[in-house]
Amino acid sequence: MPEPARQKPSQFQRSTPLGTVAAPGTYGRTDAGAPGVIFRERRDIALASVVCHRKRQEALSQALTESFGLDLPGPGRSATAGDLSLLFAGLDRWTAVSEGEDGPALLHRLAEALGDTAGLADQSHGLCVIEMRGPRILDVLAKGTAADMHPDAFPVGASIATGINHLAVHLWRQDEACVRITLLRSFARDLFEFLATMSLEYGYGVES
Amino acid sequence: MRIPCPLCGDRDSGEFTYLGDATVRRPPADETDLEPWFEFVYLRDNPKGWHKELWHHGQGCRAWVAVERDTLTHEVFGSQLARERAIAEDERA
Amino acid sequence: MSQDFRLAEGGLIDRERHLHFKFDGRRYTGFAGDSLAAALLANGVRLVGRSFKYHRPRGVVTCGSNEPNALVELRTGARKAPNMPATTIELYEGLVASSQNRWPSVNFDLLSVNNILAPVFVAGFYYKTFMWPASWWEPVYERFIRRAAGLGRASGAPDPDRYERANLHCDVLVVGGGPAGLAAALTAGRAGARVVICDEGPRLGGSLLSERIRLNGEAGWRWAGEAALELAGLPNVRVMTGTTVFGYYDHNTLGAVERVGEKGPRPPEHMPRERMWHIDAGQVVIAAGALERPIVFTNNDLPGVMLASAARGYVNRYAVRPGSRAVVFGNNEDIYATADDLTAGGVEVVGVVDSRAKAAQSSSHPVYQAQRVVRALGWRSVTGVELGDGTKLNCDLVAVAGGWNPAVHLSSQTGVRPVWNSEAAAFLPGEPRQAEASVGAAAGYFATSDALDTGAAAGKAAAEARGRKAKIADLPVAEEPRHGGLEALWYVPGRDKRSFIDLQHDVTVSDVKLAEREGYRSVEHMKRYTTLGMATDQGKTANIPGLAILAEARGQDIPEVGTTVFRPPYTPVSLGVFAGYNRQQNFQPVRRSPLHEWGEAHGAVFMEAGPWMRIQAFPRDGEDIMAATNREVEATRRSVGMCDVSTLGRIDLQGPDVAEFLNRLYCNGWKTLPVGKARYGLMLREDGIVFDDGTTSRLGENHYLMTTTTGQAPLVMTHMEYCHQVLWPELDVTFVSVSDQWAGVAVAGPKSRAVLQKVFPEADLSNEAFPFLAAGEFDLGGLPARLFRITFSGELGYELNVPADYGPAVADMILEAGEEFGITPYGLEALDVMRIEKGHVTHADLDGRVTAADAGFGKMMSTKKDYIGRRLAERPAFSEARRPRFVGLRPVDRNSRLHAGAHLLPQGTTDSIEHDEGYISSAAYSPTLGHWIALGFLANGHERLGEVVRMVDLVRGLEVPVEVVSQHFVDPEGERQNA
Amino acid sequence: MRYSIGRLLHQALRGHRDWPEAWRSPEPKAEYDVIIVGGGGHGLATAFYLAKVHGITNVAVLEKGYLGGGNVGRNTTIVRANYMLPGNERFYAHSLKLWESLSQELNFNVMFSQRGVLNLAHSDAQVDAFARRGNSMRLHGEDAELLDPEEIRRMVPCLDLDNARFPVYGGLLQRRAGNARHDAVAWGFARGADRLGVDIIENCEVTSIHREGGRVTGVDTTRGAIKAAKIGLAVAGHTSKLAEMAGLRLPIESHLLQAFVSEAVKPVIDQVVTFAAGHFYISQSDKGGLVFGASLDGYNSYAARGNLPAVEHTIEAAMSLMPVVGRLRLLRHWGGIMDMSMDGSPIIDKTPVEGLYLNGGWCYGGFKATPGSGWSFAYTIARDEVHETNSGLRLDRFRSGHLLDEEASGPVPNLH
Ligand SMILES: Cc1cc2nc3c(=O)[nH]c(=O)nc-3n(C[C@H](O)[C@H](O)[C@H](O)COP(=O)(O)OP(=O)(O)OC[C@H]3O[C@@H](n4cnc5c(N)ncnc54)[C@H](O)[C@@H]3O)c2cc1C
Ligand SMILES: NC(=O)c1ccc[n+]([C@@H]2O[C@H](COP(=O)([O-])OP(=O)(O)OC[C@H]3O[C@@H](n4cnc5c(N)ncnc54)[C@H](O)[C@@H]3O)[C@@H](O)[C@H]2O)c1
Ligand SMILES: Cc1cc2nc3c(=O)[nH]c(=O)nc-3n(C[C@H](O)[C@H](O)[C@H](O)COP(=O)(O)O)c2cc1C
Ligand SMILES: [Zn+2]
């Protein structure tokens, strides 16, 4: 694992998957008061995939606890300690999420801690995080995903991999009022356009 | 249809792709006779009734899942991670 | 026009809200709460359409979704929808509808001559004629039949409204909001279960809205209203009116359609017209009620003949008199309640014709006991009836009560056959196959109190099955007119040719008998031969009488004959709502490269490539794609070009067993690849056919990066997961797709090194330090960048990967660095031309039928190891001499154009398949060579270099002599790429 | 009684009293020269041609349910001969020729309508692939035309070509292709075979196949044992089950394919149109219903009953290019059980068991094959050898590698 570059890539302008498509403003039905959904593209988050090596789950789990005070979350769950969260993402697979550092830094931190228990890859650019807040988010999501969005089935802290309108996504219920959708950046614009259309009847806002 | 994923729980079949019969076995690497390879790739029991089959949870945990299902009624009896089954068989062998 | 047939009081309508509407161009008014059928009847409009085959005048028969007859075109222009039952259309201000299948008008329809020809147009007549002369079938006979067939007309314009789909999960789904459904929903809802209750009507209540039923001493609809209010107040209950559960699928998943935006001329702003619900239900309670059936007699299709329940419904629910003088005819007690309700509604009941030997109750109406209506009289609508004893009664309304069929549709859709119950003289739901129960009238419990009881019990059981503690809801005390006492009667013999079973398809008693006589005596044959039950109402009123008549003709019992198969949807569902959002441009998701906007900004033209939008070319002022492509190729080969290759699949592999894993996946060997190097690899399918190709680089001791083709990337990933999880779990590898993490830019051409050297001033990119197939990680102004010396164009070339968000900035940086060399961005077309010039294969050549040997890769196939596809690639057919092999082709006359898809035949042969020797898989104009070139597969082609064959392209009308050459048109020795 | 307009008018005056049964319902005999298992299109056609061409009339067709109740009675009725691979094309070309005179041959109007089948291409590469196929067809002497988008726009005005996710780059048209009335095909062959002396026995399920010394001797059925030295299997979706009775495993899986019909409306679309982007095909029946279908539900199944996702995928495809159908309504959807072979192409051949003949692997393309299949299968049964028309449709091709993989998707049946 190479050292993260010390120099910050300030000379390069960073683009985002949603770019100009998600222009700030309010849209759709407006006569019903506050918008039902607020969208925000989160580009200030570092993400990395953590794939456990064969027969190393215990070691991985231990390393996580020791280094970060994190319990390896089971299927459908997430775990958070400080600014680092670990989301269940699939068979042997988790996504590490951290606010306040960049991908290479996160990757480096993980590599130091986890050693050869897991294969790691920076996904900070490959994945797009769309944050949804507001009273109607579950109604909007139900128009796309066949997974049960009821609080009993998708409580705070839940982290599931599913599909929205033919696209593979990952849903993380961060708190009562917020669900984060993570998906491949190449499909992000398509998904956003879909979600926005499905939100028209509730009115929606886009924040930057 | 709802497919029970051992990791994700019951999910809509639209999240999966289907491969087929989970009971066929790839011949050992050193098998040089063509016949077992032909049977592995081409011949199927194609039962009317109980069937063990592979589904891939592609819009989900990406696990290959061996599902037991009735091909006449579509009733599902249970499922298992294909990997676990493969390991178990390996150990038995 | 005034509403002459509206009662002065009563009905569940809002007399304060007058609604104006138009039917066949004439203006009428009705009230809020009316259906279109109710409003038409209130205005005395009884003739609403013409029948399918004979163009006979037709009126309203039911007051629900089982309507076979009163079908109209609703709305105009692009929003026009044909064949809509007037009985289910909620009236709204400004509604416009018209009758259909008539010309010029519903009152005077020229095609009613068909009625005269009816003796010829019997069931299946077309199978026996129109065969001579044979050439006339399509242009003459069929054209005529097609014009005549079909009821309404499609709008002819794209549907302007939006549709959507949504998912619902619940413990208990209750289908139907009559007394049974309400009792079930209340019981399960109060127990805290997640309950969904759907009713196709605009409000809950079912029969309580249209029948004279009292609950706890009050009108039943009041109790229904209270129950609905309570349900709406429970947070765990969702009430969905205007929502039809149309399909019952596997594992307790159901489809329902909610009519969201149908209550006006167009959907409200931001709202869809309809919404499709996928319901995943723990338990299903089917409380869908029962459908009344007619008794068939001669001329029973005249406007004014309707079901008794409909006649009661129009009086009770809509305060409409469906006629002035009524005859009530039936085989059970319902006729007396009907007569009472009609009388209360101001209709004079001139006779109650009771087919049974004796009545169970006395009646104040004139009763004709043990009598039958043998025919209806009248021309455009009914003017009277004739009884078996010759008695004639004048009337303008005949209310017919033939008994009830439980709505077994949903319970039968799961593949369960309904079971005949001779007591009820009806089919009841069969033994459920899923977690479901039918209750109330749907299960043959026709009394309201039984409906309430069975509903509540099922609601309790369903909630308990979902782990809730439930207790039966307090149920109201029901009082209602007497039901039952049925003595089955299906039809009254008469003029069978004028006795209609299926009103919409004009199927008569004589049609069924003819089918039987001709051997179409299985109920399924009869259905298909006569088309009985195949119209939009799917025989809701016709099927059971039809099979009863068939049974009689066969001399068998009804259960021996059986029913036809029940299929979704319960009632017809708009095609638009099934597609939801995914139509036209939104048919399938669009995948975009991180350089998409960058491309737009630089004038790129895009093309579809599977899910991707990819840059086709960068045309400059006035250039067409071909001109732009030629310029891009020339510039790249002369100096330097750059291209977006972000879409390639990238899979990051780590672990001690990666090399072994690659060894088993690819047909070539991987054990010797050093760190810092890339290698070309070829993957086969297990059947020995080429699956995918790409380069894999070794980034570290246990760290590899695989690239795949754009199109196959998702399949390769799934395949690798299969191999790892199912075949070789013993291998310690982890792998994850990083395709989207990286933006990829190919920089190619003699000056590419010079450009990249400017980008990486500190790196040593000399041929010695970074030769062909080198791979390395570099720092790019703080960015982790990956550089690979690989090329598809055959030029000296590199692929640079940087974190995706920085793709545009880095692309601009490269453009800037390359400016002094005239760097030219190029698109997929130019890339394709260059790879054809170089003789590289793509999916166009490796089409899924080609083996590695066919494509000239035979030498890559290792003989030292097992790999996917090794053994079946050894099958005899794959090594036959005549097997087409990969070659290059060029036109003998250099001005000729070559085409992919053309075939290759030897010279001096005719254009016939036995001379076919191969085909062209890729063709391009080569600006480098100044003529067209092609790649293709030719029988034993690798041994025929120099031979001239014919390119035969019959569908494009071309024949061109071509010379067989090596596929490496440009730089065959690889001097450029290795430079 | 022959069918004709004269007879029809005559009977109209007599209340249609004298029409005889279209086919008899005889009791099974103890023994036949040939037993055909399966009273679908192929079984009935085989019996017809055995009698008509080969003079073998001591034949029974055994059908477990009602005649024509299998796939012949539930398909989208497309008839075409637009294949690329010679092994297929020469067979289907022959079949199409038989279709052209079938109504007259059977004296039963099967309403074969040569309205043209148009395949739409959604990329230049697909146009080239269509050209390759069209050239194959032309080399076989069949008709094929490559159309450009403007020609398509004129020919099929209900397509919305300007707002498509996958634009139309061209199309391959076979004018002689079209559709036919599915039930009439089964009934016409049944009536034709019956008139030549074939016994058609409904409600008679074959439950086992008798073998002695490596050759067949007869079958057990729900209506008793029946002997025959030659047995032809034409049971479509149940092919594996019958083969199993004779100890054979086949390169076949049974899958579910759904079909759809809308309410009847006045003419909207005059051709059969297929979209490659969604595996979708549509035409309008003479009655006015839009009849359409797409791909399999995707899992092994013997239930002629499908699920909602496949319904939605199909209709998404319809709405991708024909948004005019949005307000038309779906009337009914149903399923059939497909005998999906491992390369997507059929098998008409002898088997390792002497006297047992196999007709199967039709996937979703066997309706158009009906006359050709019956003709070739009859030949193979009568002569105990394959005819040139079915010489590519051999059972051993999977072992030898002479595959007929038109879709090029490999040995994964649900991808064909
Ligand atoms: C939805 C759908 C759409 C299709 N669309 C087309 C199309 O557009 N064009 C096209 O060319 N093809 C199409 N097909 C395919 C075509 O219908 C079939 O390939 C063809 O009908 C199969 O041959 P058949 O008619 O003999 O089969 P079937 O009609 O299925 O006949 C087989 C018969 O065997 C009987 N049987 C099974 N087991 C036994 C037993 N043990 N004993 C006795 N009898 C038995 C069955 O009951 C059945 O009647 C479609 C199929 C479906 C389901
Ligand atoms: N006179 C008689 O002999 C007789 C016969 C039958 C029923 N009834 C009366 O009918 C009532 C029976 O009560 P019940 O609750 O069983 O039936 P119901 O007819 O009162 O209610 C059924 C409800 O289900 C709805 N529905 C049907 N199919 C649906 C679907 N697929 N999706 C959504 N909604 C659907 C209908 O619109 C209706 O509102 C009693 O009041 C009884 O008196 C009387
Ligand atoms: C070409 C074709 C057109 C059809 N048209 C109609 C139709 O207009 N109305 C209808 O109810 N069913 C129609 N069907 C479907 C049949 O009713 C029936 O569902 C199908 O043949 C399968 O049989 P099953 O449902 O009895 O299993 C049609 C079927 C086919 C194959
Ligand atoms: Zn899963």
Side-chain angles (χ1 to χ4, degrees), chain D residues 310-331:
Chain D
V311 179
E312 292 183 340
H313 284 307
T314 306
I315 299 174
E316 285 172 9
M319 289 293 286
S320 75
L321 275 168
M322 291 181 65
V324 53
V325 302
R327 298 176 102 81
L328 298 185
R329 290 168 308 150
L330 181 71
L331 186 60

Side-chain angles (χ1 to χ4, degrees), chain B residues 3-4 7-8 11-12 20 31 59 73-74 83:
Chain B
I3 302 298
L7 292 179
C8 307
R11 289 297 183 86
D12 189 86
E31 176 62 67
Q59 280 182 26
T73 63
H74 296 169
R83 182 176 68 183

